[in-house]
Amino acid sequence: MENNVFVPHSEVEKQLETAKKVRALIGEGKKAYISTFGCQQNEADSERLMGLACLMGYEKTDVMEEASLIIFNTCAIREHAELKALSKAGALRKLKERDKNIVTALCGCMAEQPHRRAQVFKSYPYIDIVFGTDRVHTLPQMVYDRLAGGKTHAVYVSDLRHDEFGVIAEGLPVVRESGYKAWVSIMYGCNNFCTYCVVPYVRGRERSRKSEDILAEIEGLVKAGYKDITLLGQNVNSYKGDLSFPELLRKAASFEGEYWVRFMTSHPKDASRELVDVMAACPNVAPQFHLPMQSGNNRVLDLMNRRYTVEQYMEKAAYIRKMIPDASITSDIICGYPTETEEEFADTVKAVRAVGFDALFTFVYSPRPGTPAAEMEQLPHDVKTARFAALCDAENEKAEELNRRFIGRTLRVLSDGKAEGNFVGRTGHNKIITFTLPEGVDESVAAAGKFVDVKVTEAKAYTLHGNLLK
Ligand code: SAH
Ligand code: SF4
Ligand code: F3S
């Protein structure tokens, strides 16, 4: 089975050849636009789609109206994410009326859901191609078929079924959004089936890239000057190459040069002491741990199929704090899971205060068709949103208190350059920091992609401010 996970090299080669055929068909000066919704996995997929688009002869654009190839890479995690994509996709109609030769595609997690696909077929006749999360590498063939074969309207292409493995295609070109921050997918899919979550259905089973491919990619990025590299997987702890995830992380962080390695996401049931030990021992691993708690109540965690208790979560957080006292720990919480009581929600607020999260991503529970939690009795919308608001208030207070620990300290900052008159960057803890330059210092020292030292003078809940040290 394991071998079937990898797309044969010959198939990838065939796609790259087809890309050249598209290039010959479309002529000069055509542009490609990709709109990305959802998580970093999707952003990473979009960078590969753009890599293929450029190989096909399209030039990257951020203006949809001037593009001849338009791709919507969608997310299905909550209804809100789906509605955003669908409403934006409506704008394609006008563009298509103006020029019927534009190639339009909708892909990503939403495209894997049969009911959404049916909706696209019916209500969006101006979308030419719909393809699933495992068909990224076949973009050249799909675009070629559309252009040469005249196929139009919702040609659906996907192999993914939730009881099957998906695929891994190595050797695709990538056009990255940033010249100094990079996503590196180390694995795809998810086997956890948390009862609220659509990801296992739309991304297929877990499969891991080979460590040699991952490490070669990272080495290339470091050599090319990338400074902030995030290893991606729905649950990086279940990485299954010839190395364990902590071993992979150690190697990823040991190339020559100054850079940070981060990772996400780490499932609390699998986050090991060994992983924390590697983080503590490797200076290149950023002191940031995203450890989604989801709920602070054991009955709710059990219903969610998270397979850890609040006590076990606390123990892991305490071990992180013991080994890396200054680490920033961040989390995700879902408010209003079916049957969650006021008392159970109060447990979550208590747990959030007790751990002290540097940042909290708070979500209103959104029923996902086909998942077990969607079949349960649902809480009223206003109950869910009131809990959401209460949790945000609790976190804002805590985040500001935690940020004050940085006042007076000098932090290494990766600059994002100047925006609206202010220099801005990120710390290793992944905090946003604005900073000023001392008089007479040339602005180029703090150009985007450069590491600088900043002395922190102010702290708010979600931003720091400081002065660059000469
Ligand atoms: N693999 C990651 C999560 C990826 S999804 C993990 O296990 O931590 C990102 C976050 O979206 C989740 O952590 C969860 O908090 C939230 N989420 C997932 N499904 C949701 C749903 N149906 N409604 C609301 N939030 C949801
Ligand atoms: Fe969804 Fe759970 Fe998998 Fe995360 S671990 S992607 S929340 S099923
Ligand atoms: Fe959304 Fe798919 Fe990511 S559902 S959160 S884009 S894995």
Side-chain angles (χ1 to χ4, degrees):
M1 196 71 196
E2 187 63 16
N3 279 337
N4 297 340
V5 173
F6 292 93
V7 176
H9 188 63
S10 57
E11 170 61 23
V12 174
E13 281 300 312
K14 206 176 96 198
Q15 292 294 334
L16 303 185
E17 282 306 313
T18 308
K20 287 182 202 149
K21 290 201 307 199
V22 174
R23 182 184 277 266
L25 267 184
I26 65 169
E28 299 282 308
K30 295 285 194 314
K31 294 182 178 165
Y33 169 85
I34 303 181
S35 180
T36 308
F37 301 83
C39 66
Q40 292 86 352
Q41 300 265 349
N42 256 17
E43 290 180 28
D45 282 348
S46 287
E47 292 182 340
R48 295 192 298 154
L49 289 166
M50 191 52 88
L52 288 165
C54 290
L55 198 67
M56 287 187 275
Y58 294 95
E59 203 184 295
K60 180 175 183 290
T61 175
D62 295 327
V63 183
M64 182 166 81
E65 288 71 20
E66 63 180 32
S68 307
L69 170 64
I70 302 176
I71 303 176
F72 283 70
N73 191 4
T74 63
C75 169
I77 200 80
R78 285 168 290 275
E79 193 184 23
H80 180 68
E82 298 191 298
L83 298 182
K84 256 191 350 202
L86 288 173
S87 107
K88 196 168 172 191
L92 292 176
R93 181 157 60 103
K94 273 217 175 87
L95 295 177
K96 205 59 169 183
E97 275 166 11
R98 211 167 63 198
D99 178 2
K100 66 176 179 17
N101 294 319
I102 293 175
V103 182
T104 54
L106 185 141
C107 65
C109 295
M110 214 168 92
E112 287 290 354
Q113 301 184 105
H115 69 286
R116 287 296 184 202
R117 233 155 37 224
Q119 183 186 10
V120 171
F121 286 168
K122 188 163 166 274
S123 312
Y124 297 80
Y126 37 86
I127 293 179
D128 300 330
I129 309 166
V130 180
F131 62 99
T133 51
D134 273 352
R135 298 287 97 189
V136 166
H137 64 286
T138 66
L139 184 70
Q141 190 66 51
M142 294 183 286
V143 173
Y144 183 80
D145 288 349
R146 158 71 181 78
L147 288 172
K151 283 189 198 168
T152 53
H153 187 36
V155 182
Y156 177 68
V157 210
S158 184
D159 280 344
L160 182 65
R161 292 222 325 262
H162 78 267
D163 56 348
E164 280 179 354
F165 277 79
V167 294
I168 295 179
E170 293 290 350
L172 298 179
V174 184
V175 170
R176 296 185 194 270
E177 282 292 319
S178 164
Y180 54 96
K181 292 184 186 184
W183 312 118
V184 175
S185 297
I186 64 165
M187 58 184 298
Y188 303 93
C190 183
N191 288 355
N192 286 310
F193 289 96
C194 302
T195 50
Y196 49 81
C197 185
V198 77
V199 172
Y201 306 89
V202 295
R203 286 267 170 188
R205 295 292 61 73
E206 272 172 8
R207 62 262 181 209
S208 301
R209 290 177 69 196
K210 293 187 179 121
S211 65
E212 64 201 67
D213 291 331
I214 298 168
L215 292 169
E217 183 174 349
I218 295 169
E219 188 175 16
L221 287 166
V222 173
K223 281 198 178 132
Y226 279 81
K227 301 281 192 281
D228 195 343
I229 296 170
T230 306
L231 310 183
L232 296 179
Q234 291 299 346
N235 179 9
V236 290
N237 305 299
S238 38
Y239 174 75
K240 284 184 190 65
D242 52 331
L243 302 175
S244 69
F245 179 64
E247 287 164 336
L248 179 74
L249 183 65
R250 186 192 296 279
K251 292 204 170 175
S254 57
F255 294 106
E256 193 67 41
E258 188 184 10
Y259 66 101
W260 286 325
V261 184
R262 310 177 192 274
F263 56 88
M264 65 184 310
T265 298
S266 187
H267 194 303
K269 78 177 162 58
D270 303 315
S272 64
R273 291 196 163 203
E274 191 194 349
L275 173 59
V276 181
D277 296 345
V278 166
M279 288 181 75
C282 297
N284 282 352
V285 178
Q288 178 209 355
F289 216 114
H290 186 59
L291 199 61
M293 182 160 80
Q294 312 297 1
S295 164
N297 175 272
N298 286 337
R299 188 189 75 91
V300 176
L301 283 174
D302 188 42
L303 283 177
M304 288 176 163
N305 192 30
R306 289 292 283 179
R307 288 172 279 173
Y308 54 82
T309 61
V310 181
E311 294 72 24
Q312 286 165 334
Y313 186 97
M314 294 294 183
E315 209 181 287
K316 304 230 173 179
Y319 189 70
I320 297 170
R321 288 266 149 78
K322 178 175 159 221
M323 299 305 292
I324 319 164
D326 191 37
S328 98
I329 306 180
T330 60
S331 204
D332 295 346
I333 299 278
I334 297 178
C335 301
Y337 183 87
T339 76
E340 180 191 65
T341 65
E342 279 304 328
E343 292 72 33
E344 288 166 339
F345 171 69
D347 287 344
T348 297
V349 178
K350 209 168 86 194
V352 163
R353 288 214 169 98
V355 181
F357 292 114
D358 275 273
L360 192 65
F361 301 90
T362 310
F363 305 106
V364 172
Y365 169 71
S366 168
R368 304 288 67 217
T371 62
E375 306 298 318
M376 296 171 67
E377 193 171 323
Q378 305 294 314
L379 295 180
H381 186 68
D382 55 343
V383 170
K384 295 194 276 187
T385 51
R387 289 180 191 174
F388 171 85
L391 192 58
C392 291
D393 287 347
E395 172 58 17
N396 285 348
E397 219 175 277
K398 195 77 204 178
E400 184 164 344
E401 180 191 317
L402 285 169
N403 262 356
R404 281 199 219 107
R405 75 184 186 276
F406 295 112
I407 292 179
R409 280 170 54 184
T410 299
L411 301 178
R412 200 79 176 134
V413 169
L414 179 59
S415 176
D416 287 312
K418 206 170 178 178
E420 290 160 23
N422 250 326
F423 278 91
V424 58
R426 294 261 177 174
T427 71
H429 301 83
N430 212 13
K431 301 274 176 189
I432 298 173
I433 182 163
T434 56
F435 58 96
T436 47
L437 266 48
E439 213 144 299
V441 170
D442 193 86
E443 293 198 342
S444 65
V445 301
K450 292 209 165 162
F451 277 116
V452 291
D453 290 317
V454 177
K455 186 161 181 180
V456 180
T457 54
E458 277 172 63
K460 297 197 188 117
Y462 297 103
T463 49
L464 302 171
H465 181 75
N467 303 317
L468 182 110
L469 289 193
K470 271 198 193 169

